Amino acid sequence: MRIRRALAGLALGGALAVSAAAVPAQAAERTTTKEASVSASATVHSMAGYHFYRAYWTLDACLDEGDSLGYTYKCQYGTGNDGKKKWFLYLWY
């Protein structure tokens, strides 16, 4: 009885190992397509926009930090992940 269980476990383990080895090979094939290759200039142009930088409790703190960084920025009032109201600083780059 123990030998049957051991053999069944080995067969199942071997089948899982073979199927797991095939998954990375499939993923590698997908990354070699032309759609996955993007030039550096296309990447730079697609990323331009407002990006979250930091959250502040007061509008004055948000504006002071935005002025000191030297980027185009905006401060927007909203609710944070903790459920509390805050000022969010977004930088344009």
Side-chain angles (χ1 to χ4, degrees):
M1 205 55 150
R2 288 183 183 176
I3 294 175
R4 283 187 188 172
R5 287 184 185 173
L7 290 176
L10 288 174
L12 181 60
L16 290 175
V18 170
S19 66
V23 172
Q26 292 171 354
E29 291 172 9
R30 290 183 193 155
T31 58
T32 60
T33 62
K34 284 188 176 183
E35 295 173 4
S37 62
V38 178
S39 66
S41 62
T43 304
V44 171
H45 292 294
S46 64
M47 292 179 60
Y50 283 104
H51 299 276
F52 172 76
Y53 182 71
R54 197 175 286 162
Y56 301 92
W57 292 111
T58 63
L59 177 59
D60 290 335
C62 183
L63 294 173
D64 289 343
E65 183 76 16
D67 288 337
S68 68
L69 292 173
Y71 290 97
T72 302
Y73 69 93
K74 69 177 180 179
C75 291
Q76 189 172 3
Y77 193 66
T79 305
N81 292 339
D82 58 358
K84 298 179 181 178
K85 295 288 191 177
K86 300 177 185 179
W87 288 95
F88 298 101
L89 176 61
Y90 294 93
L91 301 177
W92 179 271
Y93 59 89

